């Protein structure tokens, strides 16, 4: 028989479902699910964004036509095979094991421990904005090598169609080649436009979802499937609008060939890539691939947030 002393509360029971490590696992699971569902759109988007630089890099080789999102996807299936729509999927998953887990856990820690709380329970928007930018940039900095490998694997099918020899055939070969040619620094090639992009995308996705969801709940919506779906739709649109220009620059910088020191042969820096893209192709080239970017980020956000919220609920974790 256990006798409790009057006036002394028993120690709180540890709830693993609300621990940081468990939330990290849940966010990685949700991100992997979303990536598997929407990855073919990411591949088509990347091919479209890099298409315009063919003239700079071809040196007389055949120019391939702009085919649009659907045409690009159909062309990949017809010319390379159906399963090639998931080419580069493995490093994409590796990236999310670092990126999504880090950004979700860090943002929630910042929000719950550092953000100011108003009387109605909401947080100042500027704090949510700063939190989204900081955690998105930090998480991407850690995950940048996996993103670099993913982009290079995505472009191998196109190189074969242009008659160029393949650079890499799998993840381990890509890692060794990048490390051999550029050292540790080479693994972070294109890291800054990547960090900028992720900071903006995270601002659009994570901060927008958190703010819009709380706005809906304050207006009488219940914390259910439909609120999650509406919030994720808003976050996908804002994320695509903010992130597409940086995504174009990131893809081009990371895909360009390098010399023996790991320095890019087409662009000296992210700013050089930005200026050359605008000069050679016009301002709207920065939004090349916006539709596929939005069409991917919308379903990705929807799949991720619905999965994440549902598995948190099923596992007994508090709502995001």
């Amino acid at each position: 028989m256990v006798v409790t002393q009057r006036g002394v509360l028993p120690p709180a029971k540890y709830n693993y479902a609300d621990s940081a490590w468990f939330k990290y696992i849940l966010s990685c699971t949700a991100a992997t699910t979303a990536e598997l569902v929407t990855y073919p759109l990411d591949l088509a988007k990347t091919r479209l964004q890099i298409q315009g630089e063919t003239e700079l890099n071809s040196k007389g080789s055949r120019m391939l036509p702009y085919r649009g999102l659907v045409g690009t996807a159909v062309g990949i299936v017809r010319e390379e095979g159906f399963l090639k729509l998931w080419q580069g999927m493995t490093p994409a998953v590796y990236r999310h094991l670092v990126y999504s887990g880090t950004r979700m856990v860090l943002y929630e820690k910042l929000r719950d421990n550092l953000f100011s709380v108003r009387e109605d329970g909401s947080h100042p928007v500027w704090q949510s904005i700063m939190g989204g930018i900081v955690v998105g940039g930090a998480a991407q900095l850690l995950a940048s090598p996996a993103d670099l490998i993913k982009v290079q694997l995505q472009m191998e099918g196109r190189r074969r169609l242009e008659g160029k020899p393949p650079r890499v055939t799998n993840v381990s070969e890509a890692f060794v080649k990048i490390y051999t040619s550029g050292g540790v620094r080479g693994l972070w090639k294109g890291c800054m436009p990547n960090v900028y992009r992720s900071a903006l995308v995270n601002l659009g996705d994570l901060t927008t979802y958190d703010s819009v969801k709380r706005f809906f709940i304050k207006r009488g919506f219940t914390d259910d499937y439909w609120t999650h779906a509406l919030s994720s739709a808003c976050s996908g649109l804002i994320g695509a609008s903010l992130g597409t220009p940086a995504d174009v620059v990131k893809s081009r910088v990371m895909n360009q060939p390098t010399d023996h020191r790991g320095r890019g042969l087409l662009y000296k820096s992210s700013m050089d890539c930005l200026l050359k893209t605008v000069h050679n192709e016009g301002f709207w080239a920065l939004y090349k691939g916006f539709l596929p970017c939005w069409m991917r980020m919308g379903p990705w956000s929807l799949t991720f947030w619905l999965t994440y919220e549902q598995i948190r609920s099923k596992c007994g974790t508090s709502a995001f």
Side-chain angles (χ1 to χ4, degrees):
M1 178 177 178
V2 179
V3 179
T4 58
Q5 196 173 359
R6 181 179 295 178
V8 178
L9 294 175
K13 185 178 179 181
Y14 174 72
N15 183 14
Y16 74 90
D18 276 320
S19 63
W21 66 266
F22 191 73
K23 291 177 181 178
Y24 192 102
I25 293 174
L26 295 185
S27 62
C28 290
T29 302
T32 301
T33 302
E35 197 69 22
L36 180 64
V37 171
T38 64
Y39 187 81
L41 292 172
D42 184 51
L43 177 62
K45 176 203 70 175
T46 302
R47 295 280 183 95
L48 280 173
Q49 288 174 334
I50 295 175
Q51 237 180 145
E53 70 181 10
T54 306
E55 186 175 2
L56 291 174
N57 196 22
S58 61
K59 296 182 180 178
S61 65
R62 179 173 61 94
M63 288 286 291
L64 297 183
Y66 294 86
R67 298 186 289 192
L69 174 63
V70 176
T72 299
V74 171
I76 292 171
V77 173
R78 184 174 61 249
E79 297 160 3
E80 304 171 41
F82 177 74
L83 292 180
K84 290 299 182 180
L85 288 172
W86 281 270
Q87 182 167 295
M89 175 73 189
T90 302
V93 172
Y94 291 163
R95 172 185 179 263
H96 278 291
L97 293 180
V98 178
Y99 174 72
S100 288
T102 301
R103 76 180 181 117
M104 296 301 296
V105 171
L106 281 182
Y107 181 84
E108 200 164 356
K109 285 290 185 184
L110 287 176
R111 185 190 66 190
D112 295 344
N113 296 292
L114 296 180
F115 288 7
S116 303
V117 182
R118 298 191 180 113
E119 293 181 0
D120 59 0
S122 63
H123 304 288
V125 175
W126 72 268
Q127 291 183 356
S128 298
I129 290 173
M130 292 304 299
I133 290 174
V134 169
V135 302
Q140 182 54 47
L141 187 62
L142 295 174
S144 191
D147 210 22
L148 173 61
I149 293 171
K150 181 193 79 170
V151 170
Q152 295 205 355
L153 284 175
Q154 284 179 332
M155 293 309 300
E156 284 309 304
R158 184 171 182 84
R159 286 179 61 83
R160 286 195 294 272
L161 291 177
E162 293 174 351
K164 299 175 182 176
R167 293 179 298 189
V168 292
T169 57
N170 55 55
V171 174
S172 58
E173 184 182 343
F175 178 85
V176 171
K177 183 178 178 62
I178 294 169
Y179 180 78
T180 302
S181 62
V184 174
R185 182 181 176 183
L187 293 170
W188 271 265
K189 183 179 78 168
C191 137
M192 291 320 295
N194 222 356
V195 168
Y196 300 151
R197 170 197 174 271
S198 293
L200 292 171
V201 169
N202 205 59
L203 167 61
D205 179 44
L206 180 52
T207 303
T208 300
Y209 179 86
D210 187 31
S211 301
V212 171
K213 176 186 169 183
R214 290 174 182 275
F215 174 82
F216 284 148
I217 291 176
K218 235 166 64 172
R219 295 299 185 276
F221 285 65
T222 55
D223 191 1
D224 59 8
Y225 178 92
W226 294 109
T227 301
H228 303 159
L230 287 171
S231 302
S232 65
C234 295
S235 68
L237 176 60
I238 301 301
S241 300
L242 293 176
T244 299
D247 197 31
V248 171
V249 172
K250 177 213 75 168
S251 295
R252 294 189 175 198
V253 169
M254 295 179 78
N255 185 64
Q256 67 175 323
T258 58
D259 61 16
H260 65 284
R261 292 185 176 181
R263 294 178 300 189
L265 299 178
L266 295 178
Y267 312 113
K268 298 176 183 177
S269 64
S270 302
M271 183 57 67
D272 182 49
C273 177
L274 175 70
L275 295 175
K276 282 184 176 177
T277 300
V278 173
H279 179 265
N280 293 323
E281 303 170 51
F283 173 79
W284 292 109
L286 295 175
Y287 278 89
K288 185 179 295 179
F290 170 76
L291 183 59
C293 187
W294 180 25
M295 289 180 67
R296 186 200 185 238
M297 287 196 69
W300 195 98
S301 292
L302 181 66
T303 306
F304 172 79
W305 286 112
L306 290 179
T307 304
Y308 188 52
E309 295 275 21
Q310 289 302 310
I311 59 177
R312 281 178 72 117
S313 175
K314 297 296 184 184
C315 292
T317 307
S318 56
F320 179 75

